[in-house]
């Protein structure tokens, strides 16, 4: 009797999964997301830098030419007006009241104040010298904070100071923003920060960046 040998076949379900070719996953997706977040953050800081720069630059232009906003027409710096006399002579509170009164209208005070506004404004808008802008701007904001003296509830004549916050007013916000922009190197996006940093005299003196 002949025995027919049949090969044994295992019958079952075979599942096949298509390979993904169009979407990133794992480390690649995380890297892409991190890059997009960093780019968005850099652009946000650049926008803040330019806006803050315009605040300083506009103050310089208005005080120089008297556009009729904070500085009345015909009383600009070029018309013989003093950028510091009105503000410093009206200081009515704080431990430096007498000192500010003595500085009001002095030529050196006018020039220092106006050059500071111009330099900080141009530096921020162009994205160059942000460290210097942060130092100069912080010093200016500190002096202006002391001139307005937000901690005072009443002025020297006893009238309410109308201070909205005894500490965290806009001077402090501007100073912190300046420091943050310089620390983050915010001049590289929408600015000339990279070109400025490659200049020989800047690369040798990092404090100029």
């Amino acid at each position: 009797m002949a025995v027919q040998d049949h090969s044994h076949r295992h019958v079952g379900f075979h599942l096949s999964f298509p390979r993904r070719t169009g979407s990133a996953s794992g480390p690649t997706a995380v890297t892409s997301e991190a890059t997009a977040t960093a780019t968005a953050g850099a652009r946000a800081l650049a926008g803040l830098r330019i806006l803050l720069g315009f605040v300083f630059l506009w103050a310089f232009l208005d005080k120089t030419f008297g556009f009729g906003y904070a500085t009345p027409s015909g009383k600009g710096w070029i018309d013989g007006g003093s950028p510091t006399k009105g503000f410093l002579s009206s200081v009515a509170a704080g431990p430096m009241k007498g000192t500010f009164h003595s500085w009001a209208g002095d030529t050196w005070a006018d020039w220092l104040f106006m050059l500071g506004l111009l330099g900080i404004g141009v530096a921020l808008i162009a994205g160059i010298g942000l460290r210097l802008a942060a130092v100069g701007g912080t010093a200016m904001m500190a002096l202006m904070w002391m001139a307005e003296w937000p901690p005072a509830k009443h002025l020297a004549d006893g009238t309410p100071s109308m201070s909205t916050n005894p500490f965290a007013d806009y001077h402090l916000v501007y100073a912190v923003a300046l420091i943050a922009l310089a620390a983050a190197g915010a001049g590289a996006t929408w600015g000339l920060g990279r070109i400025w940093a490659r200049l020989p005299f800047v690369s040798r003196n990092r404090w100029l960046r």
Side-chain angles (χ1 to χ4, degrees):
M1 181 177 66
V3 179
Q4 187 175 4
D5 188 15
H6 297 279
S7 59
H8 297 279
R9 297 179 180 179
H10 298 281
V11 180
F13 294 97
H14 298 279
L15 300 178
S16 60
F17 298 92
R19 296 181 180 180
R20 295 182 180 179
T21 58
S23 60
S25 61
T28 303
V30 173
T31 303
S32 299
E33 184 177 355
T35 301
T37 301
T39 300
R43 290 175 178 174
L45 287 175
L48 174 63
R49 189 198 79 232
I50 295 171
L51 183 62
L52 189 56
F54 185 71
V55 170
F56 283 89
L57 184 60
W58 173 259
F60 168 81
L61 295 173
D62 183 54
K63 292 178 184 301
T64 299
F65 301 104
F67 290 147
Y69 290 89
T71 305
S73 299
K75 293 187 177 181
W77 197 22
I78 62 171
D79 300 311
S82 171
T84 63
K85 186 175 182 179
F87 175 66
L88 293 182
S89 61
S90 64
V91 173
M96 292 187 64
K97 181 178 67 172
T99 302
F100 287 132
H101 287 175
S102 67
W103 291 353
D106 284 354
T107 301
W108 69 268
D110 289 343
W111 276 93
L112 190 61
F113 179 56
M114 295 299 282
L115 289 177
L117 290 176
L118 177 62
I120 295 167
V122 171
L124 289 173
I125 292 174
I128 61 176
L130 295 187
R131 295 181 182 182
L132 285 175
V135 172
T138 299
M140 182 182 293
M141 290 299 103
L143 288 171
M144 294 180 69
W145 185 88
M146 294 187 71
E148 294 192 12
W149 199 245
K153 292 182 178 180
H154 298 87
L155 303 179
D157 59 0
T159 59
S161 66
M162 304 301 293
S163 175
T164 58
N165 192 303
F167 177 67
D169 73 337
Y170 72 96
H171 298 102
L172 179 64
V173 174
Y174 285 177
V176 172
L178 286 168
I179 295 171
L181 291 171
T189 301
W190 298 344
L192 304 175
R194 296 184 190 276
I195 298 174
W196 175 259
R198 288 197 295 266
L199 295 177
F201 70 94
V202 176
S203 60
R204 290 194 301 267
N205 301 278
R206 298 176 63 87
W207 56 272
L208 291 173
R209 294 185 179 182

